[in-house]
Amino acid sequence: MIEGKKVRIRALEKTDIDEIMKWINDPEVMENLLMRYPVSRYQEEKWIEKTLDDSNVRNKVFAIETKDGVYLGGIGLHRIDWENRNAEVGIVIGKKEHWNKGYGTDAMITILDFAFNQMNLHRVYLRVFDFNVRGIKSYEKCGFKKEGTLSDDRYAHGKYHDTIIMGILKDEFKKITNDQ
Ligand SMILES: CC(C)(COP(=O)(O)OP(=O)(O)OC[C@H]1O[C@@H](n2cnc3c(N)ncnc32)[C@H](O)[C@@H]1OP(=O)(O)O)[C@@H](O)C(=O)NCCC(=O)NCCS
């Protein structure tokens, strides 16, 4: 278990599939994620199987739950580059009624602390679509800075959108957490 202030990050379980299937095909959730097509239970089961395989050393995916044990969503470090010590973080709070309550920001700060101070990563970055204002606001609160823009990278709702790359270094995170 990785304890945050409002949430707990724990191992992903095969049994989480029931909760995942409740939100994974919600268009308002999906439009912010890299996936585009509806996902079947079979596909999601295969993804969990692959994710939990011990040989998958470049991806560490976890579940987020409240302190009372209510499943909220998932968070993961992907494309872990053990030589250059960086990784891409991805997050989803699945059910919309749990949005805007500080869970995502707390989960992100918790995984950053784990990434920098337990895994000894040096840089964590993410990709976010320009229309995801909630996500961008949350990442800024965690200390992420905009590193660059991939112009017209994502086609959605009949037009192209930019993908923004945001990142944070271990020293920057340390400074923010020391200042708080
Ligand atoms: C993005 C996500 C992880 C953020 O988690 P969350 O728990 O909803 O976010 P938080 O409550 O911690 O923070 C959101 C902040 O954005 C603000 N916000 C929300 N909508 C906003 C808007 N339209 N304009 C400006 N700010 C907005 C909130 O007020 C809050 O700031 P505050 O705490 O200062 O009031 C979550 O909403 C989510 O999973 N969304 C769907 C999937 C997704 O977008 N994944 C990330 C892909 S990059």
Side-chain angles (χ1 to χ4, degrees), residues 28-29 32-33 91-94 98-106 127-128 132-135 137-139 141:
E28 280 186 73
V29 178
N32 298 298
L33 305 179
I91 183 169
V92 57
I93 302 291
H98 292 138
W99 289 359
N100 293 325
K101 293 186 175 163
Y103 292 131
T105 302
D106 187 53
R127 280 177 281 175
V128 58
N132 190 352
V133 283
R134 180 182 302 104
K137 176 88 187 289
S138 167
Y139 306 145
K141 287 174 75 170

Side-chain angles (χ1 to χ4, degrees), residues 6 19 22-23 26 28-29 66 70-72 93-104 134:
K6 296 179 74 124
E19 285 298 317
K22 287 180 189 166
W23 55 260
D26 180 335
E28 280 186 73
V29 178
T66 65
V70 176
Y71 173 91
L72 293 172
I93 302 291
K95 290 194 205 142
K96 286 173 287 200
E97 64 263 31
H98 292 138
W99 289 359
N100 293 325
K101 293 186 175 163
Y103 292 131
R134 180 182 302 104

Side-chain angles (χ1 to χ4, degrees), residues 51 53-62 76-88 111 114-125 170:
T51 302
D53 193 301
D54 286 341
S55 66
N56 197 345
V57 294
R58 289 189 180 272
N59 292 285
K60 299 286 171 204
V61 177
F62 308 102
L77 293 161
H78 306 276
R79 303 161 183 255
I80 304 172
D81 180 337
W82 293 106
E83 290 78 29
N84 297 304
R85 313 215 70 80
N86 64 57
E88 175 173 0
I111 199 92
F114 186 77
F116 293 135
N117 295 315
Q118 302 295 338
M119 295 168 68
N120 195 23
L121 293 185
H122 175 67
R123 172 176 168 263
V124 174
Y125 62 95
K170 182 175 184 170

